[in-house]
Amino acid sequence: MDAEAQESFREFVANRSSALLRTAVLLSGGDRHAGEDLLQNALIKAAGRWHRIDEPEAYVRQILYRQQISRWRLKWRGRELSVAEPPEPGTDMEAASSATELRLLMRGALARLTARQRAVLVLRYFEDLPEAEVARILGCSVGTVRSTTHRSLARLRALAPELRALGPSAAESKPARDYSNVEVRS
Amino acid sequence: MNVDDVVREVLREQAAELTPPAPGFADRVLAVRRRRRVRGLATAAAAVAAVIAVSVGVPGLDSGGEGVRPAGGVEQDRITGRTDQSPPRELLAAGEVAMAAYYTTEKVRRSADRMVSERTYWLLDPRTKKYEKDDRWSFVAVAPGLKTAAVLERELPADRVGLLDLASGEVERWIPVDHEAGGLAFSPDGRKLVATTYGEDPGLLLRVEDPGGPVGWEPREISSRNGFQVIDVASGAGSWTEVATGDEPFGPAGFVNARQDFAFSADGRFVWAGRVSDTVELDYFDLAGDAVAPPTREAHRTWHVEAGLSPDGRRLAGDFAGKGMKTSSWILDPLTGEQVAEVHGQQLLAWADNDSLVAWDIAADGNEFHQRLVLVTVGSGKVVPLSGFRSPEDDAKGRWEPVFVRR
């Protein structure tokens, strides 16, 4: 990497690292240390190919998502993230505190999903990307994105039974599998 | 409110709480990159590795930790360490196990859109007690006793299994297999072999285009594994069992990796393989090929932890238990799966005796891939280094993988 490339790399990191870190930490189930580690590795990979990358942000994001769900990470997924145990919900709590507790429960449940399940939810509900775009980023079919979303939401309910009181999402009212030939793979 | 509304809200809330990375993040990234590159080139310098091995202290898990006692090239308490060698050139052993072989992996381009991840083995010569390169084989399993190995030839999957005499380096016999094999494992008594059968090379990588970026290489999402063949070593007789893999890579039944080999259970009565899944992680079969429930003491096995059950069957090696810079692993009660102890080590590889294990552990720099072999003991903070550090660079020559076998 020559001086000019290093300068443009530094500028990119200075401008975009806050946003990228948010994604990386969410992908890591809220663990900042793991998120920084993930982003650092993605940026190292990008730095090695800096000259050949046309859209650095798209490239780094793709690495973030794919790296997080790669086989190596899966091998290490036993490294469960530690999250503070949410308090047991009281029986007569007020609406406000119950909403807070619900969010705490949800955080805990999100951290316990598999990396791939979490990646799909972050892409769909944090990045607000359409299913076809999620499929392209993860390198799978739209049907797989749909079924993974469905199963991830179901898993959240299983992990935190208190969430069962919530209404079903739009994703859950669709069929879990899609047998059409929509294969989005660029 | 719907469940996806809460997911959306919680993710945004979590993101909003984050402070930006510390100033100088880009320089930190560039510095780590430089260090990794330099280390990748420098690991061959055994002298450097030796100095690191001696000077790095691994803190005990509890305040009563006993620190480091390097094992030299001399046999002490049945431990033969090679802290100045990475990879080891001479016999490395601890208690009941010895490193029978090691291999490195290299990606070889086969065509414009295909690459194969290939292994090169170094096998222990039982006469000289040195590791000798033998690049005739794509896969090697060594039988307990370190005298014989089962080998597969270069092109995978292979249609015959060779029985290699490790002293002479000659194949004594070839055993043809009904379905082509990509992986092998011996039974604990060395009398049987299980060959994992594949439709194509389990090391195959396909070209994947990243948008806006360069080309990547990834294994096929759906493994070509199709079953296993149990072989009687003496007679060569065998029977094949078909095991289907799902057609949806991340379907409800989970999935198996491109290479996901079968192995024998600790008592040799069953064969098993792992699965990446939220629910069922282990598939066990009896030797007739019928799916069975896991044996009582192996139901809580973590498939990617190689050590498995202790020789007396009273302890089960478990998953990574560490956090941050601390690397440790769980020891489980095999009957309940309960975590009964925590030992040093990032990855538990083999039981040296009923209390001690050979493990990978990381260097003090915290890089999870910069590791050396150590001996750890349940109920003790003691860590005995066994090898020099291996390179953290993926696919580098210095990134060797050990094969441990009962000696």
Side-chain angles (χ1 to χ4, degrees):
Chain A
M1 219 180 178
D2 58 25
E4 197 184 323
Q6 288 203 12
E7 209 32 62
S8 103
F9 178 76
R10 281 200 189 91
E11 194 185 326
F12 169 74
V13 174
N15 290 334
R16 300 306 306 152
S17 61
S18 291
L20 290 167
L21 181 65
R22 282 198 285 272
T23 300
V25 172
L26 293 181
L27 286 173
S28 309
D31 183 324
R32 177 168 184 130
H33 182 82
E36 282 201 10
D37 194 40
L38 181 67
L39 178 58
Q40 179 173 294
N41 281 331
L43 288 172
I44 287 173
K45 206 168 168 187
R49 302 164 177 203
W50 199 246
H51 280 302
R52 289 175 287 155
I53 302 171
D54 298 330
E55 296 173 55
E57 172 134 10
Y59 179 65
V60 172
R61 282 186 183 278
Q62 172 118 4
I63 302 176
L64 283 180
Y65 284 105
R66 291 207 174 170
Q67 184 170 281
Q68 182 64 356
I69 59 178
S70 68
R71 289 188 310 156
W72 177 247
R73 293 273 156 188
L74 282 164
K75 244 187 128 177
W76 281 95
R77 84 209 151 84
R79 195 196 308 205
E80 277 231 343
L81 300 160
S82 60
V83 272
E85 280 297 313
E88 288 292 317
T91 46
D92 56 351
M93 54 194 163
E94 292 178 12
S97 87
S98 121
T100 308
E101 296 207 344
L102 201 61
R103 287 204 296 273
L104 270 175
L105 280 169
M106 181 62 93
R107 280 190 186 207
L110 279 168
R112 292 172 63 194
L113 291 181
T114 64
R116 190 169 185 96
Q117 288 173 333
R118 207 162 38 236
V120 169
L121 295 187
V122 171
L123 283 164
R124 290 284 288 120
Y125 299 122
F126 178 69
E127 310 277 14
D128 271 330
L129 295 178
E131 285 169 344
E133 183 63 8
V134 176
R136 191 189 59 75
I137 290 173
L138 296 181
C140 62
S141 71
V142 169
T144 302
V145 170
R146 231 170 254 172
S147 61
T148 307
T149 309
H150 185 271
R151 270 200 305 280
S152 311
L153 294 172
R155 176 119 174 97
L156 287 176
R157 291 170 190 277
L159 288 168
E162 293 79 357
L163 301 174
R164 285 191 188 138
L166 297 171
S169 69
E172 286 172 290
S173 56
K174 286 179 192 165
R177 281 171 188 240
D178 180 353
Y179 292 99
S180 62
N181 288 326
V182 196
E183 187 66 34
V184 182
R185 241 194 136 138
S186 54
Chain B
M1 196 181 251
N2 296 333
V3 65
D4 47 349
D5 295 330
V6 183
V7 171
R8 194 172 270 121
E9 208 171 277
V10 165
L11 290 174
R12 292 206 173 131
E13 189 183 82
Q14 262 183 314
E17 286 168 8
L18 285 170
T19 52
F25 188 58
D27 287 315
R28 204 170 91 206
V29 170
L30 292 172
V32 173
R33 175 168 177 264
R34 254 191 318 272
R35 253 192 347 256
R36 284 190 190 174
R37 284 160 59 95
V38 170
R39 246 192 255 128
L41 300 170
T43 38
V48 176
V51 173
I52 297 170
V54 178
S55 64
V56 170
V58 180
L61 284 176
D62 45 63
S63 52
E66 292 168 54
V68 181
R69 181 176 61 109
V74 220
E75 171 111 4
Q76 30 176 291
D77 306 332
R78 298 199 77 211
I79 301 170
T80 311
R82 306 287 174 190
T83 51
D84 58 339
Q85 300 176 12
S86 175
R89 294 183 302 275
E90 299 148 285
L91 172 73
L92 185 151
E96 296 177 20
V97 293
M99 191 174 93
Y102 69 85
Y103 62 88
T104 58
T105 305
E106 197 182 7
K107 287 175 187 157
V108 182
R109 190 71 168 262
R110 287 290 166 81
S111 69
D113 57 357
R114 290 163 87 90
M115 220 192 262
V116 173
S117 172
E118 282 186 352
R119 296 181 180 189
T120 303
Y121 282 86
W122 279 255
L123 309 176
L124 182 70
D125 183 328
R127 298 164 307 179
T128 62
K129 308 281 186 205
K130 288 188 173 155
Y131 298 98
E132 305 289 350
K133 183 174 177 178
D134 190 346
D135 57 10
R136 290 174 290 173
W137 320 119
S138 60
F139 195 96
V140 176
V142 178
L146 313 173
K147 291 193 174 66
T148 308
V151 295
L152 296 175
E153 288 164 285
R154 266 294 163 205
E155 292 296 313
L156 287 184
D159 59 7
R160 59 180 187 171
V161 177
L163 291 176
L164 180 72
D165 178 338
L166 288 168
S168 70
E170 300 295 325
V171 172
E172 293 188 324
R173 192 150 53 91
W174 290 103
I175 302 172
V177 283
D178 303 342
H179 291 78
E180 293 186 319
L184 298 167
F186 272 98
S187 63
D189 64 6
R191 291 179 181 189
K192 290 192 183 69
L193 268 169
V194 59
T196 305
T197 59
Y198 292 90
E200 63 187 5
D201 191 331
L204 179 69
L205 300 168
L206 303 170
R207 185 186 155 103
V208 182
E209 292 271 3
D210 287 349
V215 174
W217 296 87
E218 289 178 12
R220 230 188 262 289
E221 282 191 341
I222 295 174
S223 174
S224 74
R225 194 187 72 181
N226 50 32
F228 64 86
Q229 179 153 352
V230 176
I231 300 164
D232 179 69
V233 175
S235 67
S239 61
W240 183 71
T241 297
E242 182 175 10
V243 181
T245 53
D247 57 358
E248 195 187 359
F250 294 90
F255 67 98
V256 299
N257 285 304
R259 171 182 287 284
Q260 189 107 44
D261 287 345
F262 285 93
F264 281 90
S265 60
D267 61 8
R269 292 170 56 214
F270 307 100
V271 297
W272 71 278
R275 202 201 296 180
V276 181
S277 153
D278 292 343
T279 48
V280 183
E281 294 213 333
L282 300 167
D283 291 305
Y284 275 84
F285 297 86
D286 63 21
L287 301 189
D290 289 323
V292 293
T296 325
R297 287 179 185 273
E298 293 185 43
H300 300 283
R301 179 189 265 278
T302 310
W303 66 259
H304 50 81
V305 175
E306 288 168 45
L309 264 187
S310 61
D312 63 4
R314 295 172 69 169
R315 289 179 171 134
L316 185 62
D319 210 349
F320 186 70
K323 206 183 163 192
M325 293 284 279
K326 183 190 80 165
T327 51
S328 61
S329 293
W330 294 116
I331 298 297
L332 311 177
D333 177 336
L335 297 175
T336 61
E338 197 189 333
Q339 293 159 351
V340 291
E342 196 175 348
V343 288
H344 274 290
Q346 184 187 18
Q347 213 174 337
L348 302 176
L349 300 171
W351 288 91
D353 56 41
N354 289 324
D355 303 311
S356 304
L357 299 112
V358 181
W360 280 119
D361 209 359
I362 60 166
D365 61 7
N367 181 335
E368 64 174 310
F369 302 113
H370 188 214
Q371 308 143 312
R372 64 177 163 181
L373 293 174
V374 296
L375 185 71
V376 299
T377 303
V378 181
S380 155
K382 195 165 71 177
V383 175
V384 182
L386 295 174
S387 76
F389 286 95
R390 67 175 177 173
S391 161
E393 294 286 302
D394 198 16
D395 298 330
K397 273 226 159 67
R399 197 146 182 92
W400 46 278
E401 296 287 345
V403 177
F404 282 96
V405 172
R406 203 154 42 76
R407 50 174 163 169

